Amino acid sequence: MELNKGESVYLEGGAVYIKKSFGVFQGTMYITNNRVVFCKRSGLFNALLGPILMHLTKGKTIVFEIPLDKLSKIGIEKHGFAKKYVFHNSNGDFEYIQFNLNANKWIDAIKSAVQTNVPNIQISQIGELIEFKS
């Protein structure tokens, strides 16, 4: 993933994108001072050895990005024995993500990036629902 001019990364690491219909993509999630981005890993080599290589390679193809000022809320839903995080934007669209490690660290990084970089934002949390309002 290429950074935009003046953009810096708060956090990056492995995650899984869960499509709204059928399928999942392994890849890399990025939290920057401007946006939340998920890039998938692709190719036959990844399909065969994805779980083995997931810590060695980064996703390169952007699947979705949400500008921090368009992020409206993050919710959590059960997904089998795990949880998936639902990222909603101000247009009403949403994306599902499962974090490979330490989901709380990801959520804290997102809240910090929004609070620092989006003027006049209010962040409220009720249980596992986080809302961003300007």
Side-chain angles (χ1 to χ4, degrees), residues 15-24 74-88 94-100 103 107 128-129:
V16 176
Y17 171 72
I18 303 169
K19 292 172 63 171
K20 294 172 192 134
S21 55
F22 176 73
V24 298
I74 301 172
I76 297 176
E77 295 180 7
K78 287 188 176 186
H79 187 75
F81 292 112
K83 295 177 181 180
K84 62 183 177 184
Y85 290 77
V86 188
F87 289 77
H88 296 263
F94 59 93
E95 308 293 346
Y96 294 116
I97 290 291
Q98 278 185 321
F99 297 107
N100 291 347
I107 298 303
E128 296 182 324
L129 177 66

Side-chain angles (χ1 to χ4, degrees), residues 14 38 74 90 94 98 111 118 130:
F38 179 83
I74 301 172
S90 58
F94 59 93
Q98 278 185 321
K111 290 190 313 191
V118 181
I130 302 163

Side-chain angles (χ1 to χ4, degrees), residues 70 72 88-94:
K70 302 292 184 206
S72 64
H88 296 263
N89 69 24
S90 58
N91 297 333
D93 295 329
F94 59 93

